[in-house]
Amino acid sequence: MFQKIWKEIERGNIDPVYVLSGVESYFVDETIQRIKAALEKSGDLETSTYDLDEVPVSHVIEEADTIPFFSERKLIIAKNASFLKATDKSKEKIQHDFKALEVWLQNPSTFSVTIFVAPYEKLDERKKVTKQMKEFATIIHAEAPKERDLAVWVRNEVSLRRKSIDNDAIDKLIELVGSDMLHLQSEIEKLCFYIGEDDRIPFSIIEELVPKTLEQDAFKLLNAYIAGDKSTAISIYHDLIRQKQEPIALVALLASQVRLMSNVYYLQSKGYHGQQIAKTLKVNPYRVKRIVEDRHQVKDQHLLKALYGLSEVDLQLKSLSGKRERFLELFLMKPLA
């Protein structure tokens, strides 16, 4: 969808009204930038931005219908078009004139391009205003790409910078960063700049330069503990303590990881594949992939035992005095099996 519309924009085939919906901000921002760049090819461009949570839509219509003074074209960006999603009317801060919007949509200004941004997962298809937008405007839904598509996108972004990257390095990058495409794009730019004249982004550089999140460190710690690698688990734990991480917060995070692993294995046993599990549990597909790959023949009773042990550590941290770091450290030193 986006590639097709972007090609039309590059050719100069720009529609007068767009609705950019969805939660993937990369596609929204990129589409706006491409429209702006295409309009600027024909000369100076006036750009205005409105927040529809703060001003009525009539302000946007008035701006779109006002002839530009210093340029040939105008670009109007109307953010937070919350009237397109399901909302409680009594909680809406602004009263919008949808009748005026309906009339305007049927005959929008030829010298203006208006973009309504609705950064929500779904639009309310039952609303008359949504139906009007679907009839008279170009609607593009921005959603995060599937796992395979995201990997292809990463490879393309690297190729655009005249570099290459292996599959395992792509997997590691997405594992560390997640599926946020703006964040991924930023990390790709950093990595390409760092390797300089080299033409390949190696796996080792990703491990070295891409920052790990607390959740990833906790996952690595838990995996080491479950696999019986006490030295690695303790080493990671000490690193986290040196980073001033609170033991009670780490216990809660580890317990959350154990519950996630248990849910993943349960759904896997029911025949769910990775994408289905990720969608059901609302987690990054690469987290599910790692959990499945790193199972280490973990049994359900091992996870239950770990969860029970963490609950005991949590109780100790909340009720006993002494050196707080020791309670979780002693738990990590005990064998799981």
Side-chain angles (χ1 to χ4, degrees), residues 61-154:
I61 296 171
E62 183 180 349
E63 180 67 36
D65 285 342
T66 303
I67 298 174
F69 290 104
F70 305 108
S71 64
E72 292 292 323
R73 304 293 297 276
K74 298 175 75 171
L75 176 62
I76 297 101
I77 303 167
K79 296 183 176 180
N80 299 320
S82 57
F83 55 76
L84 294 174
K85 68 172 183 174
T87 53
D88 183 349
K89 288 188 176 181
S90 64
K91 294 182 179 180
E92 291 181 358
K93 296 187 290 184
I94 302 295
Q95 294 298 314
H96 297 287
D97 187 348
F98 296 127
K99 184 62 180 178
L101 177 60
E102 179 183 3
V103 173
W104 176 78
L105 281 170
Q106 295 178 47
N107 188 28
S109 313
T110 57
F111 48 77
S112 296
V113 175
T114 306
I115 302 173
F116 292 91
V117 181
Y120 319 112
E121 283 193 10
K122 292 183 179 180
L123 302 184
D124 191 343
E125 303 285 346
R126 301 166 298 176
K127 286 186 172 182
K128 185 178 180 181
V129 65
T130 306
K131 294 176 182 177
Q132 291 166 354
M133 286 291 192
K134 290 184 71 175
E135 182 177 356
F136 299 111
T138 299
I139 294 186
I140 315 172
H141 186 64
E143 60 181 353
K146 300 294 188 293
E147 180 182 332
R148 183 179 300 175
D149 295 334
L150 186 59
V152 171
W153 176 83
V154 169

Side-chain angles (χ1 to χ4, degrees), residues 1 41 48 54 99 129 219 322:
M1 170 67 83
K41 288 180 181 179
S48 303
E54 302 294 336
K99 184 62 180 178
V129 65
F219 181 70

Side-chain angles (χ1 to χ4, degrees), residues 176 190-191 194 202-212:
L176 292 174
K190 179 181 75 176
L191 291 165
Y194 181 83
F203 184 94
S204 58
I205 292 298
I206 292 174
E207 283 197 309
E208 180 182 345
L209 292 185
V210 179
K212 297 177 179 63

Side-chain angles (χ1 to χ4, degrees), residues 149-280:
D149 295 334
L150 186 59
V152 171
W153 176 83
V154 169
R155 188 180 300 282
N156 288 339
E157 285 293 307
V158 172
S159 296
L160 287 173
R161 294 161 178 80
R162 300 183 184 280
K163 308 292 183 184
S164 64
I165 184 170
D166 295 333
N167 290 335
D168 60 341
I170 292 175
D171 288 348
K172 188 63 178 179
L173 178 62
I174 297 175
E175 177 193 332
L176 292 174
V177 177
S179 58
D180 185 324
M181 297 174 77
L182 282 176
H183 190 183
L184 279 168
Q185 190 179 51
S186 175
E187 290 296 330
I188 289 169
E189 289 177 356
K190 179 181 75 176
L191 291 165
C192 289
F193 177 78
Y194 181 83
I195 63 175
E197 298 299 320
D198 294 341
D199 61 0
R200 187 176 66 86
I201 299 175
F203 184 94
S204 58
I205 292 298
I206 292 174
E207 283 197 309
E208 180 182 345
L209 292 185
V210 179
K212 297 177 179 63
T213 65
L214 178 59
E215 287 79 7
Q216 287 154 356
D217 283 332
F219 181 70
K220 191 174 179 181
L221 186 159
L222 187 61
N223 265 6
Y225 170 69
I226 290 174
D229 187 353
K230 295 179 186 178
S231 61
T232 299
I234 296 296
S235 176
I236 296 171
Y237 176 62
H238 287 169
D239 285 342
L240 291 172
I241 293 299
R242 281 192 289 271
Q243 294 169 26
K244 307 298 182 183
Q245 298 295 338
E246 273 291 321
I248 196 166
L250 292 175
V251 168
L253 187 55
L254 289 171
S256 175
Q257 293 281 359
V258 172
R259 286 191 289 270
L260 175 60
M261 292 171 71
S262 180
N263 288 332
V264 168
Y265 297 148
Y266 172 76
L267 291 176
Q268 188 184 23
S269 71
K270 294 297 180 181
Y272 284 59
H273 59 68
Q275 286 289 343
Q276 288 177 313
I277 295 173
K279 186 174 182 180
T280 302

